[in-house]
Amino acid sequence: MGEPVGEQTSRLQRQEREIKLLQDDIERLRDPQQLNFTSSQLDELREENSRLKYRLNILKTSLQEEMSQNGKAMLNINQRLQQIFGKAISTAYPDLENPPLSVSPNQQAKFGDYQCNSAMAMSQMMKAKGQKVSPREIAEKIIQNIPNNEFIERTEIAGPGFINIHLKRMFVSKLLSNLLVNGVQPPPLVKKKKVIVDFSSPNIAKEMHVGHLRSTIIGDSMCRLFEFLGYDVLRLNHVGDWGTQFGMLIAHLKDKFPNYLSVSPPISDLQSFYKESKKRFDEDEEFKKRAYQCVVKLQSKETDFIKAWNLICDVSRNEFQKIYDCLEIRIQERGESFYQDMMTAVVKDFEEKGLVELDEGRKIVFAPGQSIPLTVVKSDGGYTYDTSDLAAIKNRLFDEKADIIIYVTDSGQAMHFQVVFAAAQMIGWYDPKVTRVEHAGFGVVLGEDKKKFKTRSGDTVRLMDLLEEGLKRSMDKLKEKERDKVLTPEELVKAQRAVAFGCIKYADLSHNRINDYVFSFDKMLDDRGNTAAYLLYAFTRIRSIARLANIQEAVLRKAAETTEVLLDHEKEWKLGKCILRFPEILQKITDDLLLHTLCDYLYELATTFTEFYDSCYCVEKDRQTGEVVKVNMWRMLLCEATAAVMAKGFDILGINPVQRM
C-alpha cells in the first residue's frame, strides 16, 4: 500500500515551500553587483547560484514525479515528456539559462507520437552567444541525456533537428487500464486554490437577453473545469441591483401600486414596468425630481424604500432563475449593493496613499501605464461603477482570499478591467506573479446576416424566447428522425432538452470566445460536423454497443481489471493515444481559458472513434442469425474509455447527454 494521502500532501507542500525559498535565493543572487561584492565574492556567489539551481531542478523533478505517481489520476503525457526532455536539456547544456522547451503531439503518425522541437531555438540562442552548434548536434546531445523512463520506446532525429518520440505501447495500455478501473480522475493538487468566477451579471428590472447568453455559458463551463480539477470555486453573479435607475423604478412603483407595503404588486412584466418608468423619467421633470429623492432615501436605507427595492429585485430573480434552471446553472448572487458599505473605505485607502487627484469636482485615480483614470467619487459625492469594482476586487482578495479571480464579460469592458486591475496592483492589493486576476472577454452574438443578433422588429432577443425556440426546433428534429417512435414520452422530453440546451451551449463554446459568432439553429442542430447534435448521437451510439451485445456492466468492470487493452491495430493505437490526451487539453484550457479547445478535442475523439469502429470489430455476429459469436473485449474496453472521457468533457461544457436518443 502507498503512504496515506495526508502524508504525501504534507511532503509535497514542504517541497513547494523549499522550491519557493530557493527561487527567492536565486533571484537575490542574480544581480550581485548591486550588493557591492568583491571579485572573489562574486565568483563564490556565482558558484552558489549554480548549486542552488541544481538543487532547485532536483526538487522540481522530485515533486513532479511524486505528483505523477498518484495511482488513480490520469497522467498528462505531454507534461511528463516535458519533464523528461527538460531534464535531458539541462543535463546536456547546464550553462544555457532558461532554454526553450517545446514538446507537442505529432500531427503525422509516421513521424511518431510526440515531437520535441527545442533544438532549433536552442541553436539560435547559442549563436547569439557566439557558439555555432547545429540543431542536429543539439538534438543528438539531448537524446544522449534522456533519463531512464517507462514512457519512451525510441527517439529519432528528423529534418533540421526535430526529435520524434515513439511511446511504448505497453505504457499506453497501462494508462488506459488505469482510466477504466479508476474513472476519469483529475491530476493531484499540491494546493487547493480558491477560484472566483464573476459571470452572467444581468441587470435587475431588465430581462436577460442574448447578450447575457455567452457570459452565462462560458462562466459556468469555466467553473465546472476548476471544480473538476479540485479547486474551491465561488460562482458569483455581480448583478446590477443598485444605482439611479432604482429611484425611477421605486417612484413609479409608489405611484402605480401605492399599497405595495401591504399587498404584493402584480408586476410580472418588469420590462414593460421599466419602460414605463423610463418614459416618465425622460418626459416628466416632477417625476424625475421625485426619482432622485427616492435614490437618496434608498441609499440612506429607509425601511419602506428598501422593501420596494427588494420587491423589484425579487421579481427579477424569479425570471433569472427560470433561465438558470433551463441551463442548469448554479450561481450565487452578490450584486453591486453588496459592496456599497465598502466603498468609503476603498476611497480612503487611495486617498491615504496620495493616489487620488481632483478633476472638476471629481476624485479620480490614474494607474501606471493607463491612459484613462478611474472615477472613484463623482462631483455630486456619489460613487461609480469604478468604485464598486474596486470594492469588489478588494473584497475578493482580502475577505475571500482568492488565488484566482476571473471576470467573464464582453470584450468591450476589457479596458475598464485593465485599469481596475492596474489600480489594484498599484495600491498593493495583489501581485500578479502570485495571484491570477484575469478578464476573460468574449465577442458578440451575430445573426445569420452577420449583424448584431436582433429580432425582426430590431429589438434585443429575449433569452427565454431563444431557449423556447431551441426546444421547439429540437423536438422537430427528433421527430424528423422518428425518435418519437422508439422513445417513451419521458425519454423524448429528456432528449429534447439535452439536444436543445446542449446545442445552444456547444455552439457558443465551440467558437473561440474572443471572436464574434453567428447564431444559427440550423447549424447547431445539424448532426454532421463539429456540433453538439453530432457528438450527442455519437456518444449515444458508443454507449449502446455493450447494450446491443448484451454485455452487462459488471462484466465490463471485471474485464477492465483483468484484460490487457491491446493496441496492435493502427486505429486502436490512434484511439488510445487520443483518449489519453484529455489531461493535456484540460491543462491548456486552465492556462488560456479558451474552451473551444475542449470542443475541438471531443470532435476529434468522436471521429477517431468512428475510424476505429469502422476498421476494428468489437462484436462479431453470425451473418445469418445475427447472434453474437465473438466479443473482442479489449476493443469493448476502448469503447468504454472513449465514452468515459466524452462524458466528462460534456460535464465540463455543461452538456447533459442521455443514454438513448
Side-chain angles (χ1 to χ4, degrees):
M1 292 289 290
E3 66 182 316
V5 172
E7 289 181 22
Q8 186 187 44
T9 302
S10 297
R11 192 167 73 257
L12 293 177
Q13 289 173 340
R14 284 197 300 274
Q15 287 185 332
E16 277 284 295
R17 287 195 292 273
E18 191 167 348
I19 285 172
K20 179 72 171 64
L21 290 171
L22 287 170
Q23 287 173 327
D24 291 344
D25 285 344
I26 289 170
E27 196 62 38
R28 181 174 56 82
L29 297 174
R30 194 177 293 280
D31 191 8
Q33 283 89 341
Q34 293 182 6
L35 304 176
N36 300 317
F37 288 115
T38 64
S39 176
S40 61
Q41 287 174 315
L42 284 176
D43 289 339
E44 288 178 18
L45 283 171
R46 288 192 181 100
E47 192 174 329
E48 174 66 9
N49 188 292
S50 296
R51 282 200 299 271
L52 283 170
K53 280 187 176 179
Y54 180 72
R55 280 183 61 204
L56 178 61
N57 283 331
I58 289 175
L59 263 176
K60 279 185 172 179
T61 302
S62 170
L63 179 64
Q64 289 163 342
E65 285 176 352
E66 290 222 26
M67 289 179 67
S68 70
Q69 286 167 7
N70 181 306
K72 292 186 177 181
M74 282 188 77
L75 181 72
N76 186 329
I77 297 174
N78 193 312
Q79 195 174 67
R80 193 69 187 95
L81 289 173
Q82 286 187 34
Q83 293 164 13
I84 290 169
F85 277 85
K87 194 170 183 180
I89 289 168
S90 62
T91 304
Y93 296 95
D95 298 328
L96 196 61
E97 193 168 338
N98 297 321
L101 180 59
S102 173
V103 178
S104 57
N106 231 325
Q107 298 304 310
Q108 297 186 56
K110 64 180 179 180
F111 294 129
D113 307 311
Y114 284 80
Q115 192 174 78
C116 175
N117 301 330
S118 299
M120 283 71 72
M122 288 172 65
S123 176
Q124 291 299 314
M125 281 180 73
M126 295 167 79
K127 186 178 179 182
K129 292 185 173 186
Q131 303 172 4
K132 288 192 175 181
V133 188
S134 75
R136 283 191 74 91
E137 287 178 70
I138 294 170
E140 284 167 6
K141 196 168 181 183
I142 291 171
I143 287 173
Q144 289 165 10
N145 285 279
I146 291 174
N148 290 332
N149 63 85
E150 61 176 323
F151 308 97
I152 300 171
E153 178 73 40
R154 70 181 192 280
T155 56
E156 59 200 16
I157 301 170
F162 301 111
I163 302 174
N164 289 329
I165 306 160
H166 297 261
L167 298 176
K168 290 181 179 177
R169 300 209 173 201
M170 183 59 72
F171 161 66
V172 172
S173 177
K174 278 171 61 180
L175 292 183
L176 289 167
S177 293
N178 177 67
L179 163 63
L180 287 158
V181 170
N182 297 306
V184 183
Q185 300 289 336
L189 283 178
V190 173
K191 179 189 174 189
K192 187 172 184 175
K193 293 184 177 181
K194 175 76 171 281
V195 180
I196 293 177
V197 183
D198 177 328
F199 68 105
S200 194
S201 308
N203 289 312
I204 294 291
K206 294 183 181 178
E207 287 183 299
M208 289 180 75
H209 55 75
V210 72
H212 296 111
L213 180 67
R214 300 208 75 186
S215 177
T216 304
I217 290 172
I218 294 167
D220 176 62
S221 190
M222 287 180 185
C223 291
R224 287 168 176 269
L225 171 64
F226 283 110
E227 285 161 353
F228 170 66
L229 295 174
Y231 291 89
D232 178 13
V233 179
L234 177 58
R235 300 154 160 260
L236 287 186
N237 198 0
H238 190 84
V239 297
D241 66 350
W242 203 252
T244 307
Q245 77 271 21
F246 279 93
M248 172 183 87
L249 290 163
I250 293 169
H252 188 52
L253 179 74
K254 288 168 73 70
D255 289 349
K256 195 166 183 179
F257 306 105
N259 62 342
Y260 73 91
L261 290 172
S262 56
V263 180
S264 186
I267 46 170
S268 58
D269 189 354
L270 259 183
Q271 192 77 354
S272 297
F273 187 82
Y274 182 90
K275 286 178 180 178
E276 288 169 12
S277 62
K278 183 72 169 70
K279 188 171 187 294
R280 292 182 69 190
F281 186 84
D282 291 340
E283 297 174 0
D284 184 341
E285 283 300 318
E286 177 59 32
F287 179 80
K288 181 183 284 190
K289 186 178 177 182
R290 281 194 292 121
Y292 281 129
Q293 289 169 349
C294 288
V295 173
V296 173
K297 290 180 179 181
L298 176 64
Q299 291 175 342
S300 301
K301 299 193 175 174
E302 290 191 20
T303 307
D304 290 357
F305 290 84
I306 288 293
K307 180 165 185 183
W309 172 73
N310 275 322
L311 278 169
I312 294 166
C313 289
D314 285 343
V315 174
S316 275
R317 286 189 193 106
N318 290 336
E319 293 305 309
F320 298 161
Q321 195 57 47
K322 290 175 186 175
I323 287 165
Y324 295 143
D325 288 345
C326 282
L327 297 174
E328 297 184 313
I329 305 293
R330 291 181 296 105
I331 193 165
Q332 179 178 325
E333 184 182 309
R334 196 175 283 181
E336 292 167 1
S337 60
F338 181 85
Y339 304 100
Q340 293 307 300
D341 294 342
M342 307 174 193
M343 294 198 284
T344 302
V346 164
V347 175
K348 189 179 177 185
D349 286 349
F350 280 89
E351 286 179 328
E352 286 179 348
K353 296 205 173 180
L355 300 172
V356 173
E357 299 177 26
L358 286 174
D359 178 62
E360 297 180 350
R362 298 182 305 152
K363 290 182 178 180
I364 62 172
V365 171
F366 271 103
Q370 305 302 315
S371 58
I372 58 171
L374 294 171
T375 299
V376 292
V377 181
K378 296 187 290 186
S379 56
D380 64 4
Y383 296 129
T384 68
Y385 289 123
D386 294 348
T387 334
S388 175
D389 281 335
L390 286 170
I393 196 171
K394 183 184 179 187
N395 170 262
R396 293 164 186 184
L397 290 165
F398 292 96
D399 297 331
E400 295 295 345
K401 296 180 171 50
D403 300 290
I404 302 171
I405 307 174
I406 300 165
Y407 294 77
V408 186
T409 74
D410 66 88
S411 296
Q413 297 186 53
M415 178 60 74
H416 166 71
F417 283 112
Q418 184 178 311
V419 180
V420 170
F421 300 162
Q425 290 171 47
M426 173 181 71
I427 200 170
W429 288 348
Y430 79 96
D431 178 352
K433 292 178 183 174
V434 177
T435 306
R436 179 180 178 183
V437 180
E438 190 169 341
H439 174 236
F442 53 81
V444 300
V445 182
L446 304 176
E448 294 189 67
D449 58 0
K450 306 291 174 69
K451 295 178 181 176
K452 206 165 183 179
F453 195 32
K454 291 185 181 293
T455 64
R456 288 182 181 177
S457 61
D459 294 331
T460 304
V461 178
R462 292 173 69 245
L463 194 44
M464 186 51 79
D465 290 345
L466 195 76
L467 298 180
E468 287 173 354
E469 177 69 12
L471 285 169
K472 177 185 174 299
R473 293 201 184 209
S474 68
M475 182 59 82
D476 291 344
K477 191 78 174 178
L478 288 164
K479 288 181 176 177
E480 179 188 311
K481 296 174 82 66
E482 299 188 334
R483 306 311 296 160
D484 55 322
K485 295 179 181 177
V486 294
L487 300 177
T488 66
E490 293 78 13
E491 288 173 336
L492 188 63
V493 169
K494 280 186 179 179
Q496 176 196 25
R497 294 179 71 83
V499 172
F501 303 142
C503 286
I504 288 171
K505 288 182 179 184
Y506 192 87
D508 192 311
L509 295 169
S510 61
H511 291 83
N512 187 324
R513 65 170 164 78
I514 296 166
N515 303 329
D516 299 342
Y517 92 96
V518 175
F519 190 97
S520 166
F521 275 120
D522 289 339
K523 285 183 182 175
M524 67 177 68
L525 289 166
D526 193 340
D527 55 11
R528 296 162 298 178
N530 189 6
T531 66
Y534 168 75
L535 289 174
L536 287 167
Y537 285 120
F539 177 78
T540 305
R541 281 198 305 274
I542 297 168
R543 276 284 187 233
S544 71
I545 294 168
R547 187 176 70 249
L548 294 173
N550 201 26
I551 301 171
Q552 301 301 312
E553 194 173 322
V555 174
L556 286 168
R557 279 202 304 272
K558 183 68 176 173
E561 296 170 358
T562 58
T563 305
E564 180 186 349
V565 182
L566 301 177
L567 301 166
D568 298 332
H569 193 285
E570 62 169 322
K571 299 301 181 183
E572 295 170 340
W573 180 237
K574 184 178 179 181
L575 178 60
K577 289 186 298 175
C578 189
I579 291 167
L580 294 176
R581 278 184 39 231
F582 187 57
E584 299 172 23
I585 299 300
L586 298 190
Q587 182 59 56
K588 184 178 185 305
I589 303 167
T590 306
D591 293 340
D592 63 23
L593 303 177
L594 295 173
L595 290 151
H596 69 277
T597 307
L598 177 54
C599 298
D600 291 343
Y601 166 75
L602 290 176
Y603 179 61
E604 180 188 347
L605 181 59
T607 53
T608 303
F609 177 85
T610 300
E611 289 179 24
F612 153 79
Y613 194 67
D614 288 346
S615 303
C616 304
Y617 289 117
C618 298
V619 179
E620 297 179 35
K621 295 183 179 181
D622 185 286
R623 288 175 182 253
Q624 302 296 323
T625 65
E627 289 183 12
V628 174
V629 294
K630 184 180 180 185
V631 174
N632 294 318
M633 191 55 77
W634 78 93
R635 289 176 177 166
M636 292 300 303
L637 292 175
L638 277 171
C639 296
E640 287 298 298
T642 304
V645 168
M646 285 186 78
K648 181 52 64 179
F650 285 147
D651 187 53
I652 290 170
L653 296 174
I655 294 171
N656 185 20
V658 290
Q659 295 300 315
R660 297 188 67 204
M661 278 181 57

